[in-house]
Amino acid sequence: MFSKKSSTSQVARLHISLLIASFLIYLGGQIWQCVSWPPFYSFDETLEIDYVYQLSQGHLPTFFGGAEFNPLDLQYPYDVQWRYQHPPLFYLVQVPAFLLTDTLHHPIRGIWAMRFVETVLGILAIIASSWSARK
């Protein structure tokens, strides 16, 4: 029969293996997205950047207010800000990256910095999930 000590160590090894696999799968997906999607590729990401911009200006976006931040003069399919209904906490976390990388003058650099913040938040979510599963 198995001893309690050996079964505990097997569970711990399995947990670490699953944590590493989750981390690698997530990181691989993030790298694939960053390599295959250039900055401002999707209107969804563009409106996320606009949401962060509007928060940095001291106000929440409104649906009919449209996008205020359009540094590349892109044509949006609709003149609305469809991300406005999302809670602002996720976007508030990105405001420092937006401001520190001077996204107003260097929008591409800002998008890469905000993608990095999203990746770090995802890794933290994996770690928190792993911790809560252990408890």
Side-chain angles (χ1 to χ4, degrees):
M1 289 283 150
F2 294 108
S3 70
K4 186 173 183 172
K5 184 177 180 181
S6 69
S7 108
T8 303
S9 67
Q10 287 176 342
V11 169
R13 275 186 277 148
L14 178 63
H15 180 79
I16 295 294
S17 298
L18 289 173
L19 181 63
I20 291 170
S22 298
F23 172 75
L24 292 174
I25 290 168
Y26 174 75
L27 196 58
Q30 287 297 102
I31 290 170
W32 173 82
Q33 182 180 2
C34 286
V35 168
S36 64
W37 287 13
F40 291 102
Y41 175 73
S42 73
F43 292 116
D44 203 41
E45 180 179 57
T46 302
L47 290 176
E48 286 179 10
I49 306 299
D50 177 66
Y51 196 121
V52 175
Y53 167 75
Q54 290 190 44
L55 287 177
S56 75
Q57 300 303 303
H59 63 87
L60 289 169
T62 59
F63 182 74
F64 290 110
E68 294 179 11
F69 183 65
N70 189 0
L72 302 180
D73 294 322
L74 301 172
Q75 292 296 99
Y76 295 117
Y78 310 104
D79 194 22
V80 296
Q81 179 23 303
W82 64 72
R83 295 294 234 157
Y84 83 101
Q85 81 281 10
H86 291 165
L89 181 59
F90 173 73
Y91 302 105
L92 278 171
V93 170
Q94 293 185 342
V95 168
F98 183 90
L99 295 174
L100 290 173
T101 57
D102 193 21
T103 304
L104 292 175
H105 299 103
H106 305 284
I108 305 299
R109 184 170 60 190
I111 286 179
W112 285 108
M114 290 189 304
R115 285 182 178 181
F116 178 75
V117 169
E118 288 179 21
T119 301
V120 169
L121 288 174
I123 291 169
L124 291 175
I126 290 169
I127 292 168
S129 298
S130 170
W131 173 80
S132 66
R134 293 278 302 192
K135 297 296 175 186

